[in-house]
Amino acid sequence: MNTKFYIPILSLFFLASISACKQEPITVSKVSTRQKKIDSTIATDKTIDSFIKPFRNHLNKTLDSTLCIATITFTKNDGGLESTLGNLMADISLQRAQPIFKERYHKEIDFVLFNHGGMRAPILKGAVTSRAAFELMPFENELVAVELSYEKVKELISYLAEKQRAHPISNIQLSILKDAKTSKEVTINGHLLQKGKNYIVLTTDYLQQGGDSMNFFKDPIQLYKIDYKLRNALIDYFKSVDTLQVKLDKRMHYAK
């Protein structure tokens, strides 16, 4: 079904009195509008289309060039409390952002958290292109890192345990009590969560500002800018490998 849009066309009639020495203020005497449908019934302007065509062709060629191969289809709903798509996106982001972060701040990112709803399309089996990255992440989200206190990290873990949704995470493993909606055990970078320790978490600027009710990211001890779009991190990774690989490794799972 075609969606119809309307553009108001304003007709402004001005009355102005201009003297030789001084221009009087301009006043609007009348405002009127009419609706113009923007849909498939409007004929293509051949002059404009011919001007745009080489740019459109170049863009499509760039977006559709094969960067690597996916041997399976990566989706965000194929692993219970985790997913192949979420694991892939979180792992890629950590791999691409970590060296930039270490060089700039002389520290290391401890783990990654994104949101399930931010993944807008699967990566289909076969050729992986830049277009796939734009479809997966159509937003201009920037990667940022936040330094959180132990108490804030506990809030983060409680959020994951309560939501029980496959939010993309990396370098953190959680064992969740399904009925109690609490965590039984948490390890970060292979070590148990340590009381009194601050942790640096990679996320997006959208989530850092409280998007998806992730309010624990607000007012961190320190906010670190990385100047790297999440989408660009994906594309750069696609260019660097021949084949996409990821595992469902129980990084978040229900406790037995």
Side-chain angles (χ1 to χ4, degrees):
M1 179 176 67
N2 291 330
T3 302
K4 295 180 180 179
F5 299 91
Y6 299 93
I7 296 179
I9 301 175
L10 302 181
S11 301
L12 302 180
F13 299 90
F14 299 97
L15 292 178
S17 176
I18 304 175
S19 66
C21 299
K22 181 180 178 181
Q23 181 174 334
E24 296 297 327
I26 296 174
T27 59
V28 178
S29 63
K30 181 181 179 182
V31 177
S32 61
T33 66
R34 61 188 177 89
Q35 293 182 334
K36 180 69 175 178
K37 296 180 181 180
I38 306 298
D39 57 22
S40 59
T41 62
I42 296 180
T44 300
D45 187 308
K46 293 182 179 181
T47 302
I48 295 176
D49 188 63
S50 62
F51 176 79
I52 293 174
K53 185 177 180 179
F55 299 98
R56 181 174 61 236
N57 291 345
H58 175 73
L59 177 61
N60 286 333
K61 183 178 179 181
T62 301
L63 288 175
D64 294 329
S65 296
T66 299
L67 304 180
C68 62
I69 300 297
T71 57
I72 63 170
T73 292
F74 298 88
T75 74
K76 66 178 184 179
N77 296 307
D78 57 3
L81 294 180
E82 60 177 336
S83 72
T84 53
L85 186 62
N87 289 3
L88 181 72
M89 188 170 77
D91 290 349
I92 287 174
S93 299
L94 181 59
Q95 189 209 79
R96 300 299 304 185
Q98 187 76 282
I100 300 172
F101 187 80
K102 288 174 69 174
E103 181 177 357
R104 186 175 297 185
Y105 299 108
H106 308 290
K107 299 180 179 182
E108 290 193 7
I109 296 165
D110 291 301
F111 66 96
V112 181
L113 171 60
F114 299 133
N115 64 320
H116 184 270
M119 299 179 287
R120 292 308 177 102
I123 295 177
L124 300 178
K125 180 179 179 179
V128 179
T129 64
S130 294
R131 190 183 297 277
F134 274 85
E135 291 172 347
L136 166 60
M137 179 50 57
F139 315 109
E140 298 300 306
N141 289 350
E142 295 272 349
L143 291 171
V144 298
V146 290
E147 185 172 350
L148 300 182
S149 65
Y150 167 81
E151 288 74 22
K152 286 282 190 178
V153 174
K154 289 287 286 184
E155 289 182 32
L156 181 156
I157 292 165
S158 295
Y159 174 94
L160 292 174
E162 182 179 347
K163 297 296 183 182
Q164 297 190 17
R165 199 174 190 193
H167 291 297
I169 58 174
S170 182
N171 222 34
I172 180 173
Q173 188 172 52
L174 299 93
S175 178
I176 303 298
L177 296 173
K178 185 174 183 178
D179 296 332
K181 294 188 176 182
T182 58
S183 61
K184 180 180 180 181
E185 184 175 272
V186 178
T187 59
I188 297 173
N189 199 22
H191 302 283
L192 289 173
L193 182 66
Q194 184 178 335
K195 188 174 183 179
K197 176 179 169 63
N198 295 341
Y199 290 89
I200 296 176
V201 188
L202 183 69
T203 188
T204 66
D205 53 350
Y206 165 72
L207 296 176
Q208 189 278 317
Q209 295 164 13
D212 216 352
S213 299
M214 294 189 180
N215 296 316
F216 43 79
F217 280 138
K218 289 183 176 181
D219 302 316
I221 294 170
Q222 184 73 39
L223 172 62
Y224 302 94
K225 296 294 183 69
I226 299 176
D227 301 316
Y228 201 6
K229 282 183 170 46
L230 174 51
R231 183 197 309 119
N232 291 350
L234 295 172
I235 293 172
D236 289 343
Y237 181 82
F238 295 163
K239 291 178 180 178
S240 72
V241 298
D242 295 323
T243 306
L244 293 184
Q245 297 181 359
V246 74
K247 295 180 179 179
L248 292 174
D249 53 14
K250 297 185 177 180
R251 57 189 65 184
M252 186 158 69
H253 61 278
Y254 290 120
K256 294 181 180 179

